[in-house]
Short mmCIF file of all heavy atoms in Angstrom, two decimals:
data_model
loop_
_atom_site.label_atom_id
_atom_site.label_comp_id
_atom_site.label_asym_id
_atom_site.label_seq_id
_atom_site.Cartn_x
_atom_site.Cartn_y
_atom_site.Cartn_z
N MET A 1 11.65 78.49 110.13
CA MET A 1 11.57 77.23 109.44
C MET A 1 10.12 76.79 109.26
O MET A 1 9.74 76.31 108.22
CB MET A 1 12.34 76.16 110.21
CG MET A 1 12.36 74.85 109.49
SD MET A 1 13.57 73.79 110.29
CE MET A 1 13.04 72.24 109.66
N PHE A 2 9.28 76.97 110.27
CA PHE A 2 7.88 76.58 110.16
C PHE A 2 7.19 77.36 109.05
O PHE A 2 6.40 76.81 108.29
CB PHE A 2 7.15 76.82 111.48
CG PHE A 2 5.70 76.53 111.40
CD1 PHE A 2 5.24 75.22 111.38
CD2 PHE A 2 4.78 77.55 111.30
CE1 PHE A 2 3.89 74.94 111.28
CE2 PHE A 2 3.43 77.28 111.20
CZ PHE A 2 2.98 75.99 111.20
N GLY A 3 7.49 78.64 108.91
CA GLY A 3 6.90 79.45 107.86
C GLY A 3 7.24 78.93 106.47
O GLY A 3 6.41 78.92 105.58
N PHE A 4 8.46 78.48 106.29
CA PHE A 4 8.87 77.95 105.00
C PHE A 4 8.10 76.68 104.67
O PHE A 4 7.60 76.50 103.58
CB PHE A 4 10.37 77.67 104.98
CG PHE A 4 10.83 77.00 103.71
CD1 PHE A 4 10.94 77.72 102.54
CD2 PHE A 4 11.11 75.64 103.68
CE1 PHE A 4 11.34 77.11 101.36
CE2 PHE A 4 11.52 75.02 102.51
CZ PHE A 4 11.63 75.77 101.35
N ASP A 5 7.99 75.77 105.65
CA ASP A 5 7.27 74.52 105.43
C ASP A 5 5.81 74.81 105.10
O ASP A 5 5.22 74.19 104.23
CB ASP A 5 7.36 73.61 106.65
CG ASP A 5 8.76 73.06 106.84
OD1 ASP A 5 9.53 73.05 105.87
OD2 ASP A 5 9.08 72.65 107.97
N ARG A 6 5.20 75.74 105.80
CA ARG A 6 3.80 76.10 105.57
C ARG A 6 3.65 76.69 104.18
O ARG A 6 2.71 76.35 103.46
CB ARG A 6 3.34 77.09 106.65
CG ARG A 6 1.93 77.54 106.49
CD ARG A 6 0.97 76.42 106.86
NE ARG A 6 -0.38 76.95 106.78
CZ ARG A 6 -1.37 76.33 106.18
NH1 ARG A 6 -1.18 75.16 105.64
NH2 ARG A 6 -2.55 76.86 106.13
N SER A 7 4.55 77.56 103.79
CA SER A 7 4.49 78.15 102.46
C SER A 7 4.63 77.10 101.38
O SER A 7 3.96 77.16 100.35
CB SER A 7 5.59 79.21 102.29
OG SER A 7 5.38 80.28 103.16
N LYS A 8 5.47 76.13 101.61
CA LYS A 8 5.67 75.05 100.66
C LYS A 8 4.38 74.23 100.52
O LYS A 8 3.99 73.87 99.42
CB LYS A 8 6.83 74.16 101.12
CG LYS A 8 7.26 73.13 100.13
CD LYS A 8 8.48 72.39 100.63
CE LYS A 8 8.93 71.34 99.64
NZ LYS A 8 10.11 70.62 100.11
N GLU A 9 3.72 73.97 101.64
CA GLU A 9 2.45 73.23 101.62
C GLU A 9 1.38 74.00 100.87
O GLU A 9 0.64 73.43 100.08
CB GLU A 9 1.98 72.95 103.04
CG GLU A 9 2.81 71.96 103.80
CD GLU A 9 2.41 71.86 105.26
OE1 GLU A 9 1.33 72.40 105.63
OE2 GLU A 9 3.16 71.26 106.04
N ILE A 10 1.29 75.29 101.11
CA ILE A 10 0.29 76.13 100.46
C ILE A 10 0.55 76.18 98.96
O ILE A 10 -0.37 76.05 98.16
CB ILE A 10 0.28 77.55 101.08
CG1 ILE A 10 -0.27 77.48 102.49
CG2 ILE A 10 -0.52 78.51 100.22
CD1 ILE A 10 -0.11 78.75 103.28
N LYS A 11 1.81 76.35 98.59
CA LYS A 11 2.17 76.39 97.18
C LYS A 11 1.80 75.08 96.49
O LYS A 11 1.23 75.08 95.40
CB LYS A 11 3.66 76.67 97.01
CG LYS A 11 4.09 76.77 95.58
CD LYS A 11 5.59 77.04 95.47
CE LYS A 11 6.00 77.05 94.02
NZ LYS A 11 7.43 77.12 93.85
N GLN A 12 2.10 73.97 97.13
CA GLN A 12 1.80 72.66 96.55
C GLN A 12 0.28 72.48 96.40
O GLN A 12 -0.20 72.00 95.37
CB GLN A 12 2.37 71.54 97.41
CG GLN A 12 2.15 70.17 96.82
CD GLN A 12 2.81 69.08 97.65
OE1 GLN A 12 3.40 69.34 98.69
NE2 GLN A 12 2.71 67.87 97.17
N GLU A 13 -0.48 72.86 97.41
CA GLU A 13 -1.94 72.75 97.34
C GLU A 13 -2.49 73.61 96.21
O GLU A 13 -3.35 73.18 95.45
CB GLU A 13 -2.57 73.17 98.67
CG GLU A 13 -4.07 73.08 98.68
CD GLU A 13 -4.69 73.57 99.98
OE1 GLU A 13 -3.96 73.97 100.91
OE2 GLU A 13 -5.93 73.56 100.05
N PHE A 14 -1.97 74.82 96.09
CA PHE A 14 -2.42 75.72 95.03
C PHE A 14 -2.10 75.13 93.66
O PHE A 14 -2.96 75.11 92.77
CB PHE A 14 -1.77 77.10 95.18
CG PHE A 14 -2.19 78.06 94.12
CD1 PHE A 14 -3.41 78.70 94.19
CD2 PHE A 14 -1.37 78.33 93.03
CE1 PHE A 14 -3.82 79.59 93.20
CE2 PHE A 14 -1.75 79.21 92.04
CZ PHE A 14 -2.98 79.85 92.13
N GLU A 15 -0.89 74.64 93.49
CA GLU A 15 -0.48 74.06 92.20
C GLU A 15 -1.36 72.87 91.82
O GLU A 15 -1.73 72.71 90.66
CB GLU A 15 0.98 73.65 92.24
CG GLU A 15 1.93 74.83 92.23
CD GLU A 15 3.39 74.45 92.39
OE1 GLU A 15 3.67 73.25 92.66
OE2 GLU A 15 4.24 75.33 92.27
N GLU A 16 -1.71 72.05 92.80
CA GLU A 16 -2.58 70.90 92.53
C GLU A 16 -3.96 71.36 92.07
O GLU A 16 -4.51 70.82 91.11
CB GLU A 16 -2.71 70.03 93.78
CG GLU A 16 -1.45 69.26 94.10
CD GLU A 16 -1.50 68.56 95.45
OE1 GLU A 16 -2.57 68.59 96.12
OE2 GLU A 16 -0.48 67.97 95.84
N LYS A 17 -4.50 72.35 92.73
CA LYS A 17 -5.84 72.85 92.37
C LYS A 17 -5.82 73.51 91.00
O LYS A 17 -6.73 73.31 90.20
CB LYS A 17 -6.35 73.80 93.44
CG LYS A 17 -6.66 73.10 94.75
CD LYS A 17 -7.52 73.93 95.63
CE LYS A 17 -7.92 73.19 96.87
NZ LYS A 17 -8.77 72.05 96.65
N VAL A 18 -4.80 74.30 90.71
CA VAL A 18 -4.71 74.97 89.42
C VAL A 18 -4.52 73.96 88.30
O VAL A 18 -5.13 74.09 87.23
CB VAL A 18 -3.57 76.02 89.41
CG1 VAL A 18 -3.27 76.50 88.01
CG2 VAL A 18 -3.94 77.20 90.29
N SER A 19 -3.73 72.93 88.54
CA SER A 19 -3.48 71.94 87.49
C SER A 19 -4.78 71.23 87.08
O SER A 19 -4.90 70.79 85.94
CB SER A 19 -2.43 70.93 87.92
OG SER A 19 -2.92 70.09 88.94
N GLU A 20 -5.74 71.15 87.97
CA GLU A 20 -7.02 70.52 87.67
C GLU A 20 -7.89 71.37 86.74
O GLU A 20 -8.73 70.84 86.02
CB GLU A 20 -7.80 70.24 88.96
CG GLU A 20 -7.13 69.23 89.86
CD GLU A 20 -7.80 69.11 91.21
OE1 GLU A 20 -8.85 69.76 91.43
OE2 GLU A 20 -7.29 68.36 92.06
N ILE A 21 -7.69 72.69 86.76
CA ILE A 21 -8.60 73.57 86.02
C ILE A 21 -7.92 74.42 84.95
O ILE A 21 -8.58 75.17 84.24
CB ILE A 21 -9.36 74.51 86.98
CG1 ILE A 21 -8.41 75.49 87.68
CG2 ILE A 21 -10.19 73.72 87.98
CD1 ILE A 21 -9.10 76.67 88.30
N ILE A 22 -6.61 74.30 84.81
CA ILE A 22 -5.87 75.20 83.92
C ILE A 22 -6.35 75.11 82.47
O ILE A 22 -6.45 76.14 81.78
CB ILE A 22 -4.34 74.99 84.03
CG1 ILE A 22 -3.58 76.15 83.37
CG2 ILE A 22 -3.93 73.66 83.45
CD1 ILE A 22 -3.57 77.40 84.15
N ASP A 23 -6.68 73.92 82.01
CA ASP A 23 -7.13 73.78 80.62
C ASP A 23 -8.46 74.47 80.39
O ASP A 23 -8.64 75.18 79.40
CB ASP A 23 -7.24 72.30 80.23
CG ASP A 23 -5.89 71.62 80.12
OD1 ASP A 23 -4.89 72.32 79.91
OD2 ASP A 23 -5.84 70.38 80.25
N SER A 24 -9.40 74.30 81.32
CA SER A 24 -10.69 74.96 81.14
C SER A 24 -10.56 76.48 81.30
O SER A 24 -11.26 77.24 80.64
CB SER A 24 -11.74 74.40 82.09
OG SER A 24 -11.37 74.58 83.43
N LEU A 25 -9.64 76.91 82.14
CA LEU A 25 -9.39 78.34 82.29
C LEU A 25 -8.85 78.94 81.00
O LEU A 25 -9.31 79.98 80.53
CB LEU A 25 -8.41 78.58 83.45
CG LEU A 25 -8.10 80.00 83.84
CD1 LEU A 25 -9.35 80.73 84.30
CD2 LEU A 25 -7.05 80.01 84.95
N TYR A 26 -7.89 78.23 80.40
CA TYR A 26 -7.32 78.69 79.13
C TYR A 26 -8.38 78.68 78.02
O TYR A 26 -8.46 79.61 77.23
CB TYR A 26 -6.13 77.82 78.74
CG TYR A 26 -5.58 78.15 77.38
CD1 TYR A 26 -4.79 79.29 77.18
CD2 TYR A 26 -5.86 77.35 76.28
CE1 TYR A 26 -4.31 79.60 75.93
CE2 TYR A 26 -5.37 77.66 75.02
CZ TYR A 26 -4.60 78.79 74.85
OH TYR A 26 -4.13 79.11 73.60
N ASN A 27 -9.18 77.62 77.97
CA ASN A 27 -10.23 77.55 76.95
C ASN A 27 -11.22 78.69 77.08
O ASN A 27 -11.65 79.26 76.07
CB ASN A 27 -10.95 76.20 77.02
CG ASN A 27 -10.08 75.05 76.56
OD1 ASN A 27 -9.14 75.23 75.80
ND2 ASN A 27 -10.37 73.86 77.05
N LEU A 28 -11.59 79.04 78.29
CA LEU A 28 -12.48 80.17 78.50
C LEU A 28 -11.82 81.47 78.03
O LEU A 28 -12.45 82.30 77.36
CB LEU A 28 -12.87 80.28 79.97
CG LEU A 28 -13.75 81.47 80.35
CD1 LEU A 28 -15.08 81.43 79.58
CD2 LEU A 28 -13.98 81.50 81.84
N ALA A 29 -10.54 81.62 78.34
CA ALA A 29 -9.82 82.82 77.90
C ALA A 29 -9.75 82.89 76.38
O ALA A 29 -9.88 83.97 75.79
CB ALA A 29 -8.41 82.83 78.50
N MET A 30 -9.58 81.74 75.73
CA MET A 30 -9.57 81.71 74.26
C MET A 30 -10.94 82.12 73.69
O MET A 30 -11.01 82.86 72.71
CB MET A 30 -9.20 80.32 73.74
CG MET A 30 -7.72 80.09 73.62
SD MET A 30 -6.90 81.17 72.42
CE MET A 30 -7.55 80.52 70.88
N GLN A 31 -12.01 81.65 74.30
CA GLN A 31 -13.35 82.03 73.86
C GLN A 31 -13.55 83.53 74.01
O GLN A 31 -14.20 84.16 73.16
CB GLN A 31 -14.42 81.29 74.66
CG GLN A 31 -14.52 79.82 74.35
CD GLN A 31 -15.52 79.11 75.24
OE1 GLN A 31 -16.10 79.69 76.15
NE2 GLN A 31 -15.72 77.83 74.97
N MET A 32 -13.01 84.09 75.06
CA MET A 32 -13.19 85.51 75.33
C MET A 32 -12.34 86.39 74.40
O MET A 32 -12.79 87.44 73.96
CB MET A 32 -12.84 85.84 76.79
CG MET A 32 -13.79 85.21 77.78
SD MET A 32 -13.22 85.36 79.49
CE MET A 32 -13.22 87.12 79.70
N THR A 33 -11.12 85.96 74.12
CA THR A 33 -10.18 86.82 73.40
C THR A 33 -10.02 86.48 71.93
O THR A 33 -9.63 87.33 71.14
CB THR A 33 -8.78 86.75 74.05
OG1 THR A 33 -8.28 85.43 73.93
CG2 THR A 33 -8.83 87.18 75.51
N LYS A 34 -10.24 85.22 71.57
CA LYS A 34 -10.03 84.74 70.19
C LYS A 34 -8.59 84.93 69.72
O LYS A 34 -8.32 85.03 68.54
CB LYS A 34 -10.98 85.44 69.20
CG LYS A 34 -12.43 85.42 69.58
CD LYS A 34 -13.02 84.06 69.37
CE LYS A 34 -14.54 84.15 69.48
NZ LYS A 34 -15.12 83.25 70.42
N ASN A 35 -7.67 84.98 70.69
CA ASN A 35 -6.26 85.22 70.38
C ASN A 35 -5.40 84.42 71.35
O ASN A 35 -5.54 84.56 72.56
CB ASN A 35 -5.96 86.72 70.49
CG ASN A 35 -4.53 87.05 70.21
OD1 ASN A 35 -3.66 86.80 71.03
ND2 ASN A 35 -4.28 87.63 69.05
N LYS A 36 -4.50 83.60 70.81
CA LYS A 36 -3.70 82.72 71.64
C LYS A 36 -2.86 83.48 72.67
O LYS A 36 -2.86 83.15 73.85
CB LYS A 36 -2.78 81.85 70.77
CG LYS A 36 -1.97 80.87 71.54
CD LYS A 36 -1.07 80.04 70.65
CE LYS A 36 -0.20 79.14 71.50
NZ LYS A 36 0.76 78.38 70.73
N GLN A 37 -2.15 84.49 72.23
CA GLN A 37 -1.28 85.25 73.14
C GLN A 37 -2.10 85.95 74.22
O GLN A 37 -1.73 85.92 75.40
CB GLN A 37 -0.45 86.28 72.36
CG GLN A 37 0.56 87.02 73.22
CD GLN A 37 1.61 86.11 73.81
OE1 GLN A 37 2.20 85.30 73.12
NE2 GLN A 37 1.86 86.23 75.10
N ASP A 38 -3.20 86.57 73.84
CA ASP A 38 -4.05 87.23 74.84
C ASP A 38 -4.64 86.23 75.82
O ASP A 38 -4.74 86.51 77.02
CB ASP A 38 -5.17 88.01 74.15
CG ASP A 38 -4.67 89.25 73.43
OD1 ASP A 38 -3.53 89.69 73.70
OD2 ASP A 38 -5.42 89.76 72.57
N ALA A 39 -5.02 85.05 75.34
CA ALA A 39 -5.57 84.01 76.21
C ALA A 39 -4.51 83.53 77.20
O ALA A 39 -4.80 83.31 78.38
CB ALA A 39 -6.09 82.86 75.38
N GLU A 40 -3.29 83.38 76.73
CA GLU A 40 -2.20 82.97 77.63
C GLU A 40 -1.95 84.04 78.69
O GLU A 40 -1.77 83.72 79.87
CB GLU A 40 -0.93 82.70 76.83
CG GLU A 40 -1.01 81.45 75.98
CD GLU A 40 0.16 81.28 75.03
OE1 GLU A 40 1.03 82.18 74.96
OE2 GLU A 40 0.22 80.24 74.35
N ASP A 41 -1.93 85.29 78.26
CA ASP A 41 -1.72 86.39 79.21
C ASP A 41 -2.86 86.46 80.24
O ASP A 41 -2.62 86.66 81.43
CB ASP A 41 -1.62 87.73 78.48
CG ASP A 41 -0.35 87.88 77.68
OD1 ASP A 41 0.59 87.07 77.88
OD2 ASP A 41 -0.29 88.79 76.83
N LEU A 42 -4.09 86.31 79.76
CA LEU A 42 -5.24 86.36 80.64
C LEU A 42 -5.22 85.20 81.64
O LEU A 42 -5.49 85.39 82.83
CB LEU A 42 -6.53 86.33 79.82
CG LEU A 42 -7.84 86.51 80.56
CD1 LEU A 42 -7.87 87.83 81.33
CD2 LEU A 42 -9.01 86.45 79.58
N THR A 43 -4.86 84.03 81.17
CA THR A 43 -4.76 82.86 82.05
C THR A 43 -3.68 83.08 83.10
O THR A 43 -3.90 82.82 84.30
CB THR A 43 -4.45 81.60 81.23
OG1 THR A 43 -5.49 81.41 80.26
CG2 THR A 43 -4.35 80.38 82.12
N GLN A 44 -2.55 83.59 82.68
CA GLN A 44 -1.46 83.85 83.62
C GLN A 44 -1.88 84.88 84.66
O GLN A 44 -1.63 84.71 85.86
CB GLN A 44 -0.22 84.34 82.88
CG GLN A 44 0.95 84.62 83.80
CD GLN A 44 2.19 85.07 83.06
OE1 GLN A 44 2.19 85.22 81.85
NE2 GLN A 44 3.25 85.29 83.77
N GLU A 45 -2.52 85.93 84.24
CA GLU A 45 -2.97 86.97 85.17
C GLU A 45 -3.99 86.41 86.17
O GLU A 45 -3.92 86.71 87.37
CB GLU A 45 -3.59 88.14 84.40
CG GLU A 45 -4.03 89.29 85.26
CD GLU A 45 -2.90 90.02 85.96
OE1 GLU A 45 -1.76 90.01 85.46
OE2 GLU A 45 -3.16 90.62 87.03
N ALA A 46 -4.90 85.58 85.70
CA ALA A 46 -5.90 84.98 86.59
C ALA A 46 -5.25 84.08 87.63
O ALA A 46 -5.61 84.11 88.81
CB ALA A 46 -6.93 84.21 85.77
N VAL A 47 -4.27 83.29 87.20
CA VAL A 47 -3.58 82.38 88.13
C VAL A 47 -2.77 83.18 89.15
O VAL A 47 -2.77 82.85 90.34
CB VAL A 47 -2.70 81.37 87.36
CG1 VAL A 47 -1.80 80.59 88.31
CG2 VAL A 47 -3.57 80.43 86.55
N LEU A 48 -2.11 84.23 88.71
CA LEU A 48 -1.34 85.06 89.65
C LEU A 48 -2.24 85.72 90.68
O LEU A 48 -1.92 85.76 91.87
CB LEU A 48 -0.55 86.13 88.88
CG LEU A 48 0.67 85.64 88.14
CD1 LEU A 48 1.26 86.75 87.28
CD2 LEU A 48 1.72 85.12 89.10
N ARG A 49 -3.38 86.22 90.24
CA ARG A 49 -4.32 86.83 91.19
C ARG A 49 -4.87 85.80 92.16
O ARG A 49 -5.04 86.07 93.35
CB ARG A 49 -5.45 87.53 90.45
CG ARG A 49 -5.01 88.81 89.80
CD ARG A 49 -6.16 89.49 89.11
NE ARG A 49 -5.69 90.65 88.38
CZ ARG A 49 -6.39 91.75 88.24
NH1 ARG A 49 -7.59 91.84 88.74
NH2 ARG A 49 -5.88 92.76 87.57
N ALA A 50 -5.19 84.62 91.65
CA ALA A 50 -5.70 83.55 92.51
C ALA A 50 -4.66 83.18 93.56
O ALA A 50 -5.00 82.97 94.73
CB ALA A 50 -6.09 82.34 91.68
N TYR A 51 -3.40 83.10 93.17
CA TYR A 51 -2.34 82.77 94.12
C TYR A 51 -2.20 83.85 95.19
O TYR A 51 -2.05 83.57 96.37
CB TYR A 51 -1.01 82.56 93.40
CG TYR A 51 0.09 82.10 94.32
CD1 TYR A 51 0.08 80.81 94.82
CD2 TYR A 51 1.13 82.94 94.69
CE1 TYR A 51 1.06 80.36 95.69
CE2 TYR A 51 2.12 82.51 95.55
CZ TYR A 51 2.09 81.22 96.04
OH TYR A 51 3.07 80.79 96.90
N HIS A 52 -2.30 85.09 94.76
CA HIS A 52 -2.19 86.21 95.70
C HIS A 52 -3.27 86.15 96.77
O HIS A 52 -3.03 86.48 97.93
CB HIS A 52 -2.26 87.53 94.92
CG HIS A 52 -2.16 88.73 95.79
ND1 HIS A 52 -0.96 89.15 96.33
CD2 HIS A 52 -3.09 89.61 96.21
CE1 HIS A 52 -1.18 90.25 97.05
NE2 HIS A 52 -2.46 90.53 97.00
N TYR A 53 -4.47 85.74 96.39
CA TYR A 53 -5.60 85.71 97.32
C TYR A 53 -5.94 84.30 97.82
O TYR A 53 -6.98 84.10 98.43
CB TYR A 53 -6.84 86.33 96.66
CG TYR A 53 -6.68 87.81 96.43
CD1 TYR A 53 -6.42 88.31 95.17
CD2 TYR A 53 -6.75 88.70 97.50
CE1 TYR A 53 -6.25 89.67 94.96
CE2 TYR A 53 -6.57 90.06 97.30
CZ TYR A 53 -6.33 90.54 96.04
OH TYR A 53 -6.16 91.88 95.84
N PHE A 54 -5.06 83.35 97.58
CA PHE A 54 -5.34 81.97 97.94
C PHE A 54 -5.58 81.81 99.44
O PHE A 54 -6.31 80.90 99.86
CB PHE A 54 -4.21 81.05 97.47
CG PHE A 54 -4.52 79.59 97.58
CD1 PHE A 54 -5.60 79.04 96.91
CD2 PHE A 54 -3.73 78.76 98.36
CE1 PHE A 54 -5.89 77.69 97.00
CE2 PHE A 54 -4.01 77.40 98.46
CZ PHE A 54 -5.10 76.87 97.79
N HIS A 55 -5.02 82.67 100.25
CA HIS A 55 -5.23 82.58 101.69
C HIS A 55 -6.71 82.78 102.05
O HIS A 55 -7.14 82.41 103.13
CB HIS A 55 -4.36 83.60 102.43
CG HIS A 55 -4.71 85.02 102.15
ND1 HIS A 55 -4.31 85.67 100.99
CD2 HIS A 55 -5.44 85.91 102.85
CE1 HIS A 55 -4.77 86.91 101.01
NE2 HIS A 55 -5.47 87.07 102.13
N ARG A 56 -7.50 83.36 101.15
CA ARG A 56 -8.92 83.58 101.39
C ARG A 56 -9.79 82.40 100.92
O ARG A 56 -10.97 82.37 101.21
CB ARG A 56 -9.40 84.84 100.67
CG ARG A 56 -8.77 86.09 101.22
CD ARG A 56 -9.33 87.29 100.52
NE ARG A 56 -8.74 88.51 101.04
CZ ARG A 56 -9.01 89.71 100.57
NH1 ARG A 56 -9.84 89.86 99.56
NH2 ARG A 56 -8.44 90.77 101.09
N PHE A 57 -9.20 81.48 100.21
CA PHE A 57 -9.95 80.33 99.71
C PHE A 57 -10.32 79.42 100.87
O PHE A 57 -9.49 79.11 101.72
CB PHE A 57 -9.12 79.54 98.68
CG PHE A 57 -9.78 78.28 98.21
CD1 PHE A 57 -10.89 78.33 97.40
CD2 PHE A 57 -9.29 77.05 98.60
CE1 PHE A 57 -11.52 77.17 96.97
CE2 PHE A 57 -9.90 75.88 98.17
CZ PHE A 57 -11.01 75.95 97.37
N GLU A 58 -11.58 79.01 100.92
CA GLU A 58 -12.06 78.12 101.98
C GLU A 58 -11.96 76.68 101.49
O GLU A 58 -12.59 76.32 100.49
CB GLU A 58 -13.49 78.46 102.35
CG GLU A 58 -13.65 79.84 102.95
CD GLU A 58 -15.08 80.17 103.30
OE1 GLU A 58 -15.87 79.23 103.57
OE2 GLU A 58 -15.43 81.36 103.29
N LYS A 59 -11.18 75.88 102.20
CA LYS A 59 -11.03 74.48 101.83
C LYS A 59 -12.39 73.80 101.82
O LYS A 59 -13.26 74.11 102.63
CB LYS A 59 -10.11 73.76 102.80
CG LYS A 59 -8.67 74.15 102.67
CD LYS A 59 -7.79 73.33 103.57
CE LYS A 59 -6.35 73.74 103.38
NZ LYS A 59 -5.44 72.91 104.16
N GLY A 60 -12.56 72.90 100.87
CA GLY A 60 -13.81 72.17 100.76
C GLY A 60 -14.82 72.84 99.86
O GLY A 60 -15.87 72.28 99.59
N THR A 61 -14.52 74.06 99.39
CA THR A 61 -15.42 74.74 98.47
C THR A 61 -14.90 74.55 97.05
O THR A 61 -13.82 74.02 96.83
CB THR A 61 -15.54 76.24 98.80
OG1 THR A 61 -14.26 76.86 98.70
CG2 THR A 61 -16.08 76.45 100.21
N ASN A 62 -15.67 75.02 96.10
CA ASN A 62 -15.36 74.82 94.68
C ASN A 62 -14.28 75.81 94.23
O ASN A 62 -14.55 76.99 94.05
CB ASN A 62 -16.64 74.99 93.88
CG ASN A 62 -16.46 74.68 92.40
OD1 ASN A 62 -15.35 74.55 91.91
ND2 ASN A 62 -17.56 74.56 91.71
N PHE A 63 -13.08 75.30 94.03
CA PHE A 63 -11.96 76.16 93.61
C PHE A 63 -12.21 76.79 92.25
O PHE A 63 -11.91 77.96 92.02
CB PHE A 63 -10.65 75.37 93.60
CG PHE A 63 -9.45 76.19 93.23
CD1 PHE A 63 -8.93 77.10 94.12
CD2 PHE A 63 -8.84 76.05 92.00
CE1 PHE A 63 -7.81 77.87 93.80
CE2 PHE A 63 -7.73 76.80 91.65
CZ PHE A 63 -7.22 77.72 92.56
N LYS A 64 -12.77 76.01 91.34
CA LYS A 64 -13.02 76.51 89.99
C LYS A 64 -14.00 77.69 90.02
O LYS A 64 -13.81 78.67 89.31
CB LYS A 64 -13.55 75.39 89.10
CG LYS A 64 -13.69 75.77 87.65
CD LYS A 64 -14.10 74.58 86.82
CE LYS A 64 -14.24 74.94 85.37
NZ LYS A 64 -14.62 73.78 84.55
N ALA A 65 -15.01 77.60 90.83
CA ALA A 65 -15.98 78.69 90.95
C ALA A 65 -15.41 79.88 91.71
O ALA A 65 -15.77 81.03 91.46
CB ALA A 65 -17.25 78.20 91.64
N TRP A 66 -14.48 79.60 92.60
CA TRP A 66 -13.87 80.66 93.40
C TRP A 66 -13.06 81.56 92.52
O TRP A 66 -13.08 82.72 92.54
CB TRP A 66 -13.00 80.05 94.49
CG TRP A 66 -12.26 81.05 95.32
CD1 TRP A 66 -12.77 81.87 96.26
CD2 TRP A 66 -10.87 81.35 95.26
NE1 TRP A 66 -11.78 82.63 96.81
CE2 TRP A 66 -10.60 82.35 96.21
CE3 TRP A 66 -9.82 80.87 94.49
CZ2 TRP A 66 -9.34 82.87 96.44
CZ3 TRP A 66 -8.57 81.38 94.71
CH2 TRP A 66 -8.32 82.36 95.67
#
């Protein structure tokens, strides 16, 4: 049960941080790809990778730069 609660907290923290930067992440992907579908795919891939390695993120540091 403790593991589930902790996972829920981590997921919520990650979602909050991503929601703050998702637009700028997508805009950067659009600048790089010049294609809506590719930008969406690139943004999705970046968010999935960030979630996978979120346990390495140090609280109090710049999430956007991380």
